Amino acid sequence: MMTNQGKRLFLALGFNRKTQRQISQYQNQFATWGSLVSTTNLHQTLAFLGQLGEEQEQQLRLWCRQISAAGFKQTCDHFGYWRKPQIIYLAPGVPPPQLLSLVTSLHQITDALGIEREQRPYQPHITLCRKVRQPPELADLAVDISFHADHFALFQSRSDATGVRYIELERWPLLSN
């Protein structure tokens, strides 16, 4: 049953099964350090939107259909740890300019729609492991994963008895390059 609070939404790059498997192979080394993110939930957030009502969601979808942004290749080449959210993540050393351009476009849309967003600079990352209480030693761990981003999507974060699930609601293509 839907409440008046709306849905908890975010815009992100989703991954195909091949990329999910590649990331998962690296991710498994952290299984004893915390709680691994489900393989099907792996994504790279572009803009967290929070709780949106139906009207704002529909406006957002209309605006996203108008985006004309280039697809890109991204290489993730290092792991990192953030103490406050207690996560281990995978990230690109140098984010592709097309990614940063897409994020800027999405931020312009959310601002125009009056959707509050984080004001911290965007830091592309893929969360691999949560609830990591001790700062891990990651410097010597090698990683090299490349994928092609050919779309972005609107996801809903939904909690149930089995945990959190991210459900893709709609996707929009990025232009071939």
Side-chain angles (χ1 to χ4, degrees), residues 49 51 61 71 73 78 80 93 102 111-112 124 134 152:
L49 307 170
Q51 297 289 129
R61 288 178 185 235
K73 178 181 177 184
H78 71 276
L102 174 60
D111 291 349
Q134 296 292 340
F152 70 101

Side-chain angles (χ1 to χ4, degrees), residues 45-56:
T45 301
L46 301 170
F48 178 74
L49 307 170
Q51 297 289 129
L52 293 191
E54 185 67 30
E55 186 176 324
Q56 270 188 315

Side-chain angles (χ1 to χ4, degrees), residues 7 43 50 66 76 80 84 104 117 136 138-139 143 149 153 162 173:
K7 299 175 190 166
H43 68 280
Q66 305 304 313
C76 293
K84 188 168 181 182
T104 298
R117 63 177 170 84
L138 301 170
V143 61
T162 61

Side-chain angles (χ1 to χ4, degrees), residues 7-163:
K7 299 175 190 166
R8 185 174 165 92
L9 303 174
F10 61 94
L11 294 163
L13 299 178
F15 304 119
N16 62 32
R17 291 197 198 310
K18 178 184 175 194
T19 302
Q20 286 175 337
R21 280 193 303 271
Q22 285 180 312
I23 294 170
S24 179
Q25 288 174 350
Y26 284 101
Q27 178 189 34
N28 287 333
Q29 66 190 312
F30 306 120
T32 60
W33 297 9
S35 176
L36 295 182
V37 172
S38 165
T39 303
T40 57
N41 277 352
L42 292 170
H43 68 280
Q44 182 174 313
T45 301
L46 301 170
F48 178 74
L49 307 170
Q51 297 289 129
L52 293 191
E54 185 67 30
E55 186 176 324
Q56 270 188 315
E57 179 186 341
Q58 292 310 316
Q59 289 175 345
L60 176 72
R61 288 178 185 235
L62 288 171
W63 282 69
C64 285
R65 289 179 192 131
Q66 305 304 313
I67 287 186
S68 179
F72 54 90
K73 178 181 177 184
Q74 178 173 285
T75 299
C76 293
D77 56 9
H78 71 276
F79 297 110
Y81 173 74
W82 285 325
R83 181 181 302 272
K84 188 168 181 182
Q86 298 180 325
I87 64 167
I88 293 174
Y89 63 87
L90 176 63
V94 179
Q98 301 93 327
L99 167 64
L100 301 178
S101 177
L102 174 60
V103 168
T104 298
S105 295
L106 295 173
H107 286 174
Q108 289 169 345
I109 289 171
T110 57
D111 291 349
L113 293 174
I115 299 170
E116 286 189 40
R117 63 177 170 84
E118 285 187 324
Q119 294 304 310
R120 289 181 290 184
Y122 177 70
Q123 294 183 285
H125 69 281
I126 302 162
T127 300
L128 302 177
C129 191
R130 299 183 185 283
K131 300 177 185 169
V132 180
R133 304 205 190 295
Q134 296 292 340
E137 184 54 54
L138 301 170
D140 295 333
L141 299 179
V143 61
D144 184 12
I145 294 176
S146 292
F147 62 88
H148 185 76
D150 61 1
H151 71 277
F152 70 101
L154 177 65
F155 287 87
Q156 178 181 4
S157 175
R158 189 180 291 167
S159 297
D160 59 28
T162 61

